[in-house]
Structure formats: structure tokens, C-alpha cells
Amino acid sequence: MSAAKVAKLTDEQRTVDLKAVEERGWKVLEDRDAIYKEFLFRDFNEAFGFMTRVALKADKVDHHPEWFNVYNTVKITLSTHDCSGLSHKDLDLAKFIDDAAAVFKAKFIDDAAAVFKAKFIDDA
């Protein structure tokens, strides 16, 4: 028996549920139906610990992020391949990711000025 197909978010879910995710700093990508967020950690060890925590959860729920890591920065894109767009799987994983990042006191990187401040001013 095959698994049930995952449904894309409805217009109502996008208005209510997706908006809540955006309020936590996730951005809806313009070129595809996905959400994106960047995190800054104190060092590579924290970034890797965060990624490990997310990887274990992602494997458990069978929903895996697209991500990129360089030293203390982790960039994450979420989209559900089974429905070619955003689903509740993405919103649920985004919540888990935000909670995991909070454990490490990661900074959310919203723009270049915030990156500069986080790297060169806050740690000084």
C-alpha cells in the first residue's frame, strides 16, 4: 500500500498558517513554491550540532531540508517534493527548526547589515 499523497497548502492555509511562519523570519521564495531562512551560530560545532538535530527529526518524519553550511552559517530551503510545493510538512519542520535554533541561541540572518552586525559587532 502506498503512502497518501501530500497536499499543497490551500489558499486559506497560506493566508493563516504560512503567514505565521513568515512572521518567524521565513521568506517565501519568488522563483519556486518554497520557504527559506538563514541561521548564524557561534561556530561550526554549534552549526553542525543544530544540523544533526534537524537531520534526525527530518529522517524520523521522512521530510528532508535542502541546506547549505559554511562554518557557522546554515541556509535552509523547505519544499515538499511529493506535491511540488509547500505543504504542512514544511511548516511543521520549520517550527522544529526554529525551536532547535533557539536551543543554540542562533541568530536569524535577515539581511547583509544583520550579518555584519552579528559577525563583527555582537561578538566583539
Side-chain angles (χ1 to χ4, degrees), residues 2 32 41 59 67 77 97 99 107 111 119:
S2 65
R32 63 185 276 214
F41 298 86
D59 199 50
W67 52 13
T77 302
I97 288 168
D99 291 346
K107 294 176 174 65
D111 57 36
K119 284 186 177 181

Side-chain angles (χ1 to χ4, degrees), residues 38-56:
E38 294 184 25
F39 299 90
L40 183 69
F41 298 86
R42 284 188 308 165
D43 55 28
F44 177 75
N45 189 37
E46 280 193 3
F48 194 80
F50 162 78
M51 291 177 70
T52 300
R53 186 172 288 196
V54 172
L56 292 171

Side-chain angles (χ1 to χ4, degrees), residues 38-89:
E38 294 184 25
F39 299 90
L40 183 69
F41 298 86
R42 284 188 308 165
D43 55 28
F44 177 75
N45 189 37
E46 280 193 3
F48 194 80
F50 162 78
M51 291 177 70
T52 300
R53 186 172 288 196
V54 172
L56 292 171
K57 176 67 170 183
D59 199 50
K60 184 176 181 178
V61 298
D62 194 29
H63 188 58
H64 306 89
E66 299 169 23
W67 52 13
F68 181 77
N69 163 245
V70 173
Y71 184 59
N72 64 339
T73 303
V74 179
K75 301 175 181 185
I76 301 176
T77 302
L78 298 176
S79 186
T80 303
H81 300 282
D82 291 343
C83 70
S84 300
L86 288 169
S87 75
H88 261 286
K89 283 186 159 196

